[in-house]
């Protein structure tokens, strides 16, 4: 049976660590000039996008190509899906041609339906609930920068129900990370549900309203946009709830103390969730995170398409 990657919840801590090891190996190979490997030779991967993407689209397509396979990118608008063909039919048709189907969707349930009807692995390229590939690249970056994951303290400043945060929290709990989130009360995460999804809980999840208290003594400050794709109608209400208190500023970095690093999945809205000088400052590792999307994509493809 095909093994899918819709979220990091079903993966064990050891499987996540193994993926990070493989990603580090791909990175070191590429640094030595070895780009082309052959794991996906003769195979093709469908990539479906319902929403825009720069990093995910580019990194995943290049990963497939460099591993010897053919990435075929479809925007939803150019598929019959946009004229009402059911997902379950799309899944069964694409499975007859492709060796994996990756998709970025508005509603996570659509990915679940795709996976239920697909005979090949399905990969989540971001849904309203999770962004598993982003969290893998993020923990790879933390491992590179800090040399460890266990007992790392990470404070996410922003929406506790954000898709990027959900995946960071699930993986962090498995990996022994102290995950903190600073958000207005109504945007607090469902901590019980995140712990249930993580299954093996070696880390801890703490919710704060005060961002200054949340960042005290942390190794990593992370933020994401206040208005995610699909939430545009809530824009005014969200900006009112989060700004200016939940913006990552130089003062907030200083409040963390020590050698805190700044992370953001990108794209960023400068002046909203983060100040320009933080994003461009010497603590920022955002472009290393973006680069690591390529290496972790390769690790995921190698795991799912192991022959
Ligand atoms: N971080 C991320 O997923 O970026 P894109 O939306 O550009 O793919
Ligand atoms: N939370 C953001 C992440 C973009 C990579 C969104 O869903 O738009």
């Amino acid at each position: 049976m095909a093994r899918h990657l819709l979220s990091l919840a079903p993966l064990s801590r050891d499987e996540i660590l193994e993926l990070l090891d493989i990603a580090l190996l791909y990175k070191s190979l590429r640094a030595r000039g070895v780009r082309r490997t052959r794991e996906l030779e003769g195979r093709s991967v469908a990539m479906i996008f319902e929403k825009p993407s720069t990093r995910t689209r580019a990194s995943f397509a290049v990963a497939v190509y460099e591993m010897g396979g053919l990435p075929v990118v479809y925007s939803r608008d150019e598929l019959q899906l946009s004229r009402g063909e059911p997902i379950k039919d799309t899944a069964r048709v694409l499975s007859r041609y492709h060796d994996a189907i990756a998709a970025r969707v508005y509603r996570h349930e659509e990915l679940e339906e795709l996976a239920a009807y697909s005979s090949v692995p399905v990969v989540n390229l971001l849904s309203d609930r999770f962004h598993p590939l982003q969290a893998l690249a993020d923990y790879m970056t933390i491992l590179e920068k800090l040399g460890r994951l266990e007992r790392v303290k990470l404070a996410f400043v922003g929406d506790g129900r954000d898709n990027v945060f959900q995946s960071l929290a699930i993986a962090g709990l498995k990996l022994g990370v102290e995950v903190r989130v600073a958000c207005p009360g109504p945007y607090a995460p469902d901590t019980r549900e995140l712990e249930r999804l993580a299954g093996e809980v070696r880390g801890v999840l703490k919710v704060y309203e005060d961002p200054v208290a949340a960042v005290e003594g942390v190794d990593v400050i992370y933020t994401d946009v206040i208005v995610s794709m699909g939430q545009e109608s809530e824009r005014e209400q969200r900006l009112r709830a989060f700004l200016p208190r939940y913006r990552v500023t130089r003062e907030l970095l200083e409040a963390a103390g020590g050698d805190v690093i700044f992370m953001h999945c990108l794209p960023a809205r400068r002046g909203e969730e983060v100040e320009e000088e933080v994003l461009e400052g010497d603590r920022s590792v955002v472009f290393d995170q973006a680069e690591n999307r390529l290496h972790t994509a390769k690790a995921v493809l190698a795991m799912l398409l192991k022959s």
Side-chain angles (χ1 to χ4, degrees):
M1 209 178 102
R3 187 165 178 211
H4 308 296
L5 187 79
L6 305 191
S7 119
L8 295 176
L11 268 59
S12 68
R13 166 185 180 266
D14 289 349
E15 285 173 313
I16 293 177
L17 291 175
E18 191 184 335
L19 282 173
L20 301 188
D21 271 352
I22 295 170
L24 287 162
L25 194 68
Y26 276 117
K27 187 169 185 170
S28 69
L29 278 177
R30 205 169 188 268
R32 298 204 302 271
V34 184
R35 289 185 175 211
R36 298 304 301 269
T37 55
R38 305 165 83 95
E39 301 86 335
L40 300 189
E41 201 154 77
R43 299 204 258 181
S44 71
V45 176
M47 298 169 61
I48 303 172
F49 286 90
E50 269 193 357
K51 328 189 218 190
S53 169
T54 297
R55 280 141 290 268
T56 306
R57 179 180 167 142
S59 61
F60 210 77
V62 171
V64 173
Y65 166 75
E66 289 192 356
M67 294 170 83
L70 174 73
V72 184
V73 180
Y74 304 96
S75 93
R76 189 185 200 279
D77 297 344
E78 62 202 19
L79 292 173
Q80 297 287 8
L81 255 180
S82 65
R83 295 182 56 247
E85 184 169 25
I87 290 174
K88 60 185 182 183
D89 292 4
T90 307
R92 284 175 289 185
V93 170
L94 292 180
S95 302
R96 300 281 177 119
Y97 311 132
H98 293 293
D99 297 281
I101 303 172
R104 170 169 286 197
V105 300
Y106 282 103
R107 292 176 45 253
H108 190 75
E109 293 73 22
E110 298 197 347
L111 273 178
E112 288 172 340
E113 190 174 349
L114 201 54
Y117 284 90
S118 170
S119 56
V120 298
V122 171
V123 182
N124 181 357
L125 298 179
L126 179 147
S127 69
D128 54 343
R129 293 189 61 200
F130 305 115
H131 197 1
L133 298 182
Q134 182 66 49
L136 289 173
D138 296 339
Y139 283 115
M140 175 180 176
T141 310
I142 293 173
L143 189 57
E144 287 179 315
K145 300 292 173 191
L146 305 181
R148 68 194 161 94
L149 291 171
E150 197 101 22
R151 290 186 302 284
V152 160
K153 294 188 176 120
L154 177 152
F156 182 91
V157 178
D159 184 356
R161 304 190 176 179
D162 176 82
N163 44 10
V164 168
F165 174 71
Q166 299 289 304
S167 291
L168 275 175
I170 291 168
L173 284 172
K174 289 174 188 280
L175 294 168
V177 175
E178 179 173 325
V179 181
R180 305 179 186 175
V181 55
C183 56
Y187 295 91
D190 182 341
T191 52
R192 286 236 185 107
E193 174 64 1
L194 285 171
E195 283 163 5
R196 188 190 67 76
L197 287 169
E200 45 174 336
V201 176
R202 303 166 73 97
V204 57
L205 184 54
K206 297 182 178 172
V207 182
Y208 297 73
E209 274 212 48
D210 178 7
V212 177
V215 303
E216 193 190 336
V218 297
D219 306 292
V220 182
I221 296 182
Y222 198 120
T223 191
D224 185 14
V225 290
I226 295 165
V227 186
S228 283
M229 293 179 277
Q231 297 174 337
E232 290 77 6
S233 65
E234 299 169 29
R235 181 168 171 78
E236 293 314 315
Q237 180 192 335
R238 286 180 161 269
L239 294 186
R240 262 199 311 278
F242 285 90
L243 297 182
R245 195 176 185 201
Y246 298 93
R247 174 182 295 139
V248 181
T249 59
R250 186 164 48 84
E251 292 73 30
L252 197 63
L253 281 196
E254 281 163 9
D259 299 326
V260 67
I261 57 173
F262 171 73
M263 301 182 73
H264 193 308
C265 55
L266 302 178
R269 298 278 293 217
R270 289 163 162 82
E272 286 189 12
E273 76 278 5
V274 60
E275 274 180 349
E276 168 95 16
E277 71 169 309
V278 169
L279 196 74
E280 298 287 355
D282 59 2
R283 304 291 179 84
S284 173
V285 300
V286 298
F287 297 109
D288 296 315
Q289 285 176 262
E291 178 187 333
N292 286 340
R293 293 293 309 273
L294 171 62
H295 313 301
T296 44
K298 287 183 178 178
V300 164
L301 285 160
M303 175 191 78
L304 290 175
L305 295 179
K306 204 163 27 202
S307 46

